[in-house]
Every structure is written in C-alpha cells, then in structure tokens.
Amino acid sequence: MSLQCGLVGLPNVGKSTIFNALSNAGAESGNYPFCTIEPNVGVVPVPDDRLDRLAELADADDTTPATIEFVDIAGLVEGASEGEGLGNQFLGNIREVDLIVHVVRCFEDDDVGHVSGSVDPARDIDVINTELLLKDLETVERRIEPHRKAANSGDPEAQEKLATFEALHDHLSDGHWARTFEVPAKGSDRSIIDELFLLTDKPVLYVANVAESDLPESLPQTGSGGNAHVERVRAVADDEDAEMVVISADVESQIVAFDDPDDRQLFLEDLGLERPGLERLIRAAYDQLGLITFFTAGPSETRAWTIEKGTRAPEAGGTIHSDFEKGFIRAETVDFSDYDRLGSEAAAREAGVMRAEGKDYVVEDGNVLFFKFNV
C-alpha cells in the first residue's frame, strides 16, 4: 500500500528540514523561498516496538518494518491559486497526496527570514487554507456550468449533481473545508465529490515547529506544551477537528545525525525526551490515514504490513502476495499481546489462543497472521 503524506506550508517554516530528518534523503534545505521546487519523496519506516519484540521471539534473520511515504512540497505563498510562486504546480502536487501535513512555524529566529516579516501561526495557516479553498472553488465552478446546461435540458441526473455542486460551492465560499460537506440529495453518496479530488477534502495533520527551548519534558507523554504560537495552532486544529503534534525540526535534524544509537539516546535524555518527535509525527500521520499494522513472524523474516482499518483477511493476505488472496483458505491469528506473553507461535497454539479465521474476518491492529491458501 502506497499512501503519501504531503508536507505543506509557507516557505522557511522547516518542511525540508523535517523531511530530511524523516527520510535522511538529503533534500535541499535553505533560508530562501522556493528552495524546494520539484517535490522530494521519502519512504519512511513506521516505528513499532512490537516488531522488534516479535523478531526477537521468532529469532528472525531479517526484520522489515511498515513504511509510509512523505513528500516535501515547495512552500506556498499568497496568490498560489492564481499561479503566484509556481502555485499551480505546487497545488497540483498537493492534489496527489492522501494526507496534508501542514508545517507551521512556531519559533522566533532573526537569522531565518519569514515571507510575511513576522511569525504569526494563525495568519500563516489562513494563507495556506485560503489558497486551498480558492483552488477548490475554481474546480467546482468548472463543473457547475456544464451540469447547468444539462440540467436546463431536463436531465434529472444532471439536476441532482448541479444541486450538489452548487451546495458545495456555497459551503466552500463560507470558508468550510470540503471534508465537512454533506451531500444534500437523498440517496446520494459522496462519490461525485470524491471524483473532484479536492484539496480541502483531505485530512490534515498540523505540525508546530518550535525551538529546542520550547520542548518541555512533558511533551513526549502528553503532546502538550510549547509556546504562545503553539497555542494558536492548537486552537485552529481544535476548531477544524484536526490533529496536531509539536516537534523541533532543528532538534530532530541533530538526533538523526548520530550514527551510534547509544549517543542518540544520551542526546535525547539530555533534552528530557524519551523518543524523537518524528516518531510521534509518523505515528500520527499513520493513524490519520486510517492505517493499521499486522505482522507475519518466522525465522527467515518478521515483517510489519500496512492495511486500512476494516480490511478483511483475504485482502490483507493480498498485500503479501496476490496468491494469498486468490487461494485464501483461512488465516490463523494471534494477538501480539498473547504472542509476547507466551513467547512463541508454538506456545500460543498450545495455550489455545491461536484462532482460525475465515474470509469475513476483519483484521485488527497488532494481529500476527499465518495464512493458509491454495492456488
């Protein structure tokens, strides 16, 4: 499964620094607007302590984590929807991602310029959101006119779609995101909205980028803290029913520079942190996309696999190999907690906690699966 998270924001907010820390891809990062023009893509492993434990118990030769893709998209500016600053190209890049990771500058630094001359997270967020809304309005307007002509000729399907598009246009014009829009026609679904691939129909994760001094010790446990700028971002996220994480791009870039895990851990402890902030960012993005992890475990390889919530066992098997889905017989499953507690697949079978599940079984996060199939 290849789902992408697009790092979005104004120039000089720390997107490329965060991307480099996430992927170690070495994307160009500089103190000037439009440093990034062509989007960079990084495939990032999803941190999961359960995988390491399973690999230890299974005495696996290889361990393969689940992954998620991050895309570093160039900074947007006011007027992007009208083509300012290569705006059409950048907005087109956003259209292709599944989750918008909106990076917001929440630090003061005279050596790092701001396109508006000052740090104001609420204003900066509004600039980006306005450009996304304006582009979506343009998209909807292009659909309204042809459907209006067809509706005037008496086509009932066109009349229904026209009513939906006009209602959506009003919704967007009032400053509301497409993802909060409810289709007005009875019996209609959102498929005609989904087909538009609207920018504001995507889920959003806000990332408040702070200075090292604004990383409180409580942050890894609660996600709280920060500074007055962070509180403004949190207010916007709460109002939009969106998620938010607080990290320091500068600190994260220092953390990934350590080759020795022990040195990295000492650095984290000196900062009062238990884990890198990027781990929380990756997990938050993973959750926002509605993804879960199941595992396969054995002496040759222990692996984490990514699926969407609600996926049934045959389709989960299909992520490993199409034959698993075509010839699915059953999936033997044990919860990670039971595998961990009992210490092995054999012990789980002996204890009677290994279950045989059929084609209607909905896989749950943390399941360890053994597929039986025949083709």
Side-chain angles (χ1 to χ4, degrees):
M1 170 175 294
S2 179
L3 295 177
Q4 291 189 333
C5 308
L7 292 167
V8 172
L10 293 175
N12 293 350
V13 297
K15 297 186 310 304
S16 293
T17 304
I18 290 172
F19 176 81
N20 289 340
L22 279 167
S23 65
N24 288 322
E28 185 180 0
S29 177
N31 182 22
Y32 53 93
F34 309 121
C35 177
T36 302
I37 295 179
E38 293 299 327
N40 299 299
V41 180
V43 180
V44 180
V46 178
D48 198 324
D49 292 338
R50 299 173 299 180
L51 178 64
D52 296 330
R53 175 60 175 161
L54 279 174
E56 176 187 347
L57 294 173
D59 195 22
D61 293 334
D62 293 309
T63 304
T64 305
T67 60
I68 188 170
E69 290 187 6
F70 281 84
V71 184
D72 181 21
I73 297 172
L76 295 175
V77 294
E78 190 171 358
S81 60
E82 299 175 355
E84 289 294 326
L86 301 178
N88 288 328
Q89 178 182 335
F90 300 160
L91 290 167
N93 296 150
I94 298 172
R95 197 179 299 280
E96 297 174 3
V97 304
D98 302 283
L99 170 70
I100 294 174
V101 180
H102 190 159
V103 181
V104 186
R105 177 170 169 173
C106 293
F107 65 90
E108 302 280 353
D109 188 337
D110 293 338
D111 293 329
V112 180
H114 191 291
V115 292
S116 298
S118 62
V119 178
D120 185 337
R123 176 203 61 206
D124 294 351
I125 290 172
D126 186 61
V127 168
I128 299 296
N129 288 352
T130 297
E131 296 306 319
L132 299 181
L133 282 166
L134 289 173
K135 198 64 179 179
D136 280 353
L137 277 167
E138 178 186 311
T139 299
V140 175
E141 286 168 358
R142 287 202 304 266
R143 290 297 184 98
I144 286 178
E145 192 54 36
H147 282 87
R148 178 174 289 125
K149 292 179 180 178
N152 290 338
S153 69
D155 183 339
E157 182 179 351
Q159 291 173 347
E160 182 177 308
K161 288 185 176 181
L162 176 63
T164 298
F165 290 143
E166 288 180 334
L168 174 59
H169 189 276
D170 291 342
H171 183 81
L172 296 172
S173 296
D174 289 337
H176 303 301
W177 285 56
R179 60 188 167 93
T180 63
F181 177 71
E182 296 183 6
V183 178
K186 292 182 178 179
S188 297
D189 57 32
R190 277 188 117 256
S191 61
I192 61 171
I193 305 301
D194 296 339
E195 292 169 0
L196 300 178
F197 296 101
L198 297 175
L199 302 172
T200 64
D201 204 23
K202 300 176 185 296
V204 177
L205 170 65
Y206 286 102
V207 177
N209 181 17
V210 301
E212 177 182 326
S213 58
D214 290 316
L215 284 176
E217 291 185 1
S218 63
L219 189 58
Q221 288 75 38
T222 66
S224 61
N227 55 32
H229 294 319
V230 171
E231 292 308 313
R232 294 188 181 94
V233 179
R234 183 172 287 114
V236 172
D238 289 345
D239 185 59
E240 295 180 7
D241 196 25
E243 295 297 320
M244 187 194 79
V245 295
V246 181
I247 69 171
S248 169
D250 182 57
V251 168
E252 299 303 320
S253 66
Q254 295 178 61
I255 292 172
V256 298
F258 288 101
D259 294 325
D260 188 325
D262 292 335
D263 290 341
R264 186 182 304 125
Q265 188 58 42
L266 285 173
F267 181 72
L268 286 170
E269 290 174 1
D270 286 344
L271 293 173
L273 304 175
E274 290 184 358
R275 291 177 177 271
L278 290 181
E279 290 193 10
R280 289 182 292 103
L281 169 56
I282 295 167
R283 287 303 318 183
Y286 199 74
D287 293 341
Q288 281 288 287
L289 286 170
L291 303 177
I292 62 172
T293 300
F294 75 88
F295 303 97
T296 52
S300 60
E301 182 188 43
T302 294
R303 182 164 181 165
W305 301 88
T306 299
I307 55 175
E308 293 182 359
K309 291 178 182 177
T311 299
R312 299 185 186 276
E315 290 74 32
T319 64
I320 300 174
H321 195 285
S322 58
D323 286 350
F324 283 36
E325 183 173 359
K326 290 178 184 176
F328 180 84
I329 298 174
R330 67 180 181 276
E332 296 180 338
T333 181
V334 57
D335 295 334
F336 166 78
S337 58
D338 288 329
Y339 197 113
D340 181 32
R341 174 173 56 85
L342 296 167
S344 69
E345 174 191 344
R349 291 182 185 278
E350 185 176 347
V353 297
M354 183 79 75
R355 310 184 305 276
E357 301 288 359
K359 64 180 182 180
D360 292 329
Y361 176 67
V362 177
V363 177
E364 298 180 356
D365 184 64
N367 281 169
V368 184
L369 296 175
F370 304 86
F371 290 94
K372 304 294 182 181
F373 68 100
N374 182 34
V375 291

